[in-house]
Amino acid sequence: MFLRSRAAVVLALAAGIAAPGAAHSAKTCLENEMTTLSEILREAQEADVFVRIDKQYAYGDDSKQYDELCTAYEKTSDERKKQVKIVKVNGDSEGGDIIKELDAEDEDAWPVYFLFKKGTKNSDLKPKALEEARYSGEERSSDKLAEYLHDKTGATIGSFVYSLGMMDTLASKFVSAKDSESAAFRDIQRQFILYSSKILGFMVKFRADSDLKMVADLYVKAFGKSMESDDYAQKQTDRIKKLMEKDNNMSNAKREQMSQKLHVLSKFTEPKELTAAENRSLLINIGMNVALFIAFIVTLLQMIFGSPEEEKKEEGDGDEADGDDENEEEEEDVEE
């Protein structure tokens, strides 16, 4: 159903491949100049801290993956950077005391990662807590590390966009409708899709978080504008790309917004060809969401105006109560 699978978060981790022996040059993450664990934990009073322990001049695939993570971290919006800091400790130089405190002196096991949650203190780091703070995943790719940080801290590393699956499918259907032989049928079909997108957008905005509400608005706007002009999506795509190329000082947050717009527009400029199964699924999901929308409106109207049956029942109860009062009065008169 649309609302249960309404978004897929796509992490856009930029690939940055470093030459052997140059892994330490990634300045996007913090190169640790601290010599004790206490100094790292001071950083953890402000944010979660993800610590990598490795050789100062490490190289190889693990090092390249870490560089990719740092490159993605550089593209992360400042607001999300406040959630987590990424720090490298050079275990074979100034980080010697730190690796002893973390029981990470085995160089053959490097790189190792530790995640210290915000508010962690020295007194909290008992052996069991240290083991829980240690990253235990076998895969150390930039994607997996970013996924781990998202799961543990809620912070999304890199520039990312949302994709609403049902809206993407609707966009493909919308674009293919322009090839219809009958202009009248094409307009009816596209109008139906436009109204369907508005209903789906409403359902997303009603039940989703603020990010998805903004994305739903972008989709609905693209449908409406594309209804007015077939080349709207392409013109907007060209305009936004020029802006992004021209403005080198654009903030990460603004660039992320632009990327989200491009992602939505791409569903109109590069639509996928739908299979028969996808077309059936689309109709079923539209029907289910239209039914939910109607049920929502009916429920809302009942809450505002009340149902006629309930009003009649209340009136009937009132009449019965009045009748009982009259009978009681008659009985009292007889007794007197």
Side-chain angles (χ1 to χ4, degrees):
M1 185 177 170
F2 171 74
L3 288 173
R4 290 181 65 91
S5 59
R6 61 184 180 273
V9 179
V10 183
L11 295 179
L13 292 171
I17 301 178
H24 66 290
S25 63
K27 300 300 183 185
T28 51
C29 297
L30 300 175
E31 188 79 11
N32 183 44
E33 296 177 355
M34 305 166 195
T35 57
T36 67
L37 181 59
S38 297
E39 290 175 297
I40 291 179
L41 294 182
R42 272 199 288 272
E43 295 288 326
Q45 302 314 301
E46 300 177 1
D48 297 328
V49 180
F50 191 52
V51 178
R52 169 188 168 98
I53 296 175
D54 203 355
K55 297 177 181 178
Q56 183 173 5
Y57 298 105
Y59 61 92
D61 187 59
D62 279 335
S63 185
K64 291 176 183 178
Q65 292 297 322
Y66 177 71
D67 277 352
E68 287 186 20
L69 179 70
C70 290
T71 302
Y73 186 71
E74 182 183 22
K75 298 178 182 296
T76 302
S77 66
D78 293 338
E79 189 63 31
R80 284 186 279 119
K81 277 183 182 177
K82 292 178 182 178
Q83 294 178 257
V84 61
K85 297 180 180 180
I86 301 177
V87 178
K88 181 190 172 189
V89 170
N90 298 321
D92 55 353
S93 56
E94 68 270 11
D97 290 337
I98 295 175
I99 63 173
K100 290 179 182 177
E101 294 181 82
L102 293 179
D103 192 23
E105 297 175 87
D106 182 6
E107 293 188 21
D108 292 335
W110 292 354
V112 292
Y113 293 92
F114 290 86
L115 176 62
F116 299 111
K117 300 303 294 290
K118 183 178 178 180
T120 301
K121 299 176 182 177
N122 251 320
S123 56
D124 299 328
L125 296 182
K126 303 293 190 289
K128 184 178 180 181
L130 265 181
E131 190 61 32
E132 291 176 352
R134 188 169 184 151
Y135 174 70
S136 57
E138 293 183 6
E139 191 175 341
R140 299 190 183 101
S141 68
S142 57
D143 286 337
K144 279 296 180 183
L145 293 175
E147 183 181 324
Y148 171 78
L149 287 175
H150 183 266
D151 291 343
K152 295 294 184 180
T153 71
T156 302
I157 305 301
S159 175
F160 72 106
V161 296
Y162 289 100
S163 185
L164 303 181
M166 272 292 296
M167 289 292 202
D168 293 345
T169 306
L170 267 181
S172 296
K173 192 71 175 175
F174 182 89
V175 175
S176 65
K178 73 179 181 181
D179 298 326
S180 175
E181 294 181 2
S182 168
F185 179 72
R186 177 200 64 193
D187 291 342
I188 292 172
Q189 193 174 10
R190 297 183 95 184
Q191 281 287 357
F192 173 75
I193 294 172
L194 173 61
Y195 287 123
S196 297
S197 74
K198 290 181 178 180
I199 291 175
L200 294 175
F202 174 82
M203 298 302 289
V204 171
K205 291 166 72 174
F206 180 68
R207 298 185 58 177
D209 57 30
S210 58
D211 286 335
L212 286 183
K213 290 176 183 178
M214 180 270 291
V215 175
D217 284 337
L218 290 176
Y219 275 98
V220 174
K221 179 180 178 180
F223 278 108
K225 293 293 185 180
S226 296
M227 190 75 188
E228 299 171 8
S229 173
D230 284 338
D231 59 357
Y232 165 79
Q234 190 59 59
K235 285 183 176 179
Q236 286 297 304
T237 297
D238 295 341
R239 183 183 69 83
I240 292 172
K241 284 183 177 179
K242 286 179 182 178
L243 282 174
M244 294 178 73
E245 291 171 3
K246 185 178 179 181
D247 190 356
N248 293 324
N249 297 319
M250 186 181 291
S251 68
N252 288 335
K254 185 67 175 177
R255 194 167 291 276
E256 197 167 90
Q257 290 177 7
M258 295 291 192
S259 297
Q260 180 65 69
K261 290 179 180 179
L262 286 175
H263 179 72
V264 171
L265 291 169
S266 71
K267 303 306 175 182
F268 294 82
T269 59
E270 303 169 12
K272 62 177 289 190
E273 187 173 342
L274 301 179
T275 64
E278 287 173 324
N279 275 307
R280 284 195 300 272
S281 178
L282 175 65
L283 290 174
I284 291 171
N285 277 288
I286 288 176
M288 292 176 69
N289 280 279
V290 168
L292 283 173
F293 177 75
I294 293 173
F296 171 80
I297 296 299
V298 171
T299 302
L300 186 63
L301 291 174
Q302 286 181 343
M303 290 173 62
I304 295 174
F305 301 108
S307 65
E309 290 78 7
E310 289 180 356
E311 290 179 1
K312 288 180 181 178
K313 184 178 180 181
E314 289 176 0
E315 289 176 3
D317 292 341
D319 292 341
E320 289 178 7
D322 291 341
D324 291 341
D325 291 341
E326 290 175 1
N327 291 335
E328 288 176 4
E329 290 176 2
E330 290 176 0
E331 290 175 2
E332 289 175 0
D333 291 339
V334 170
E335 289 175 0
E336 289 177 359

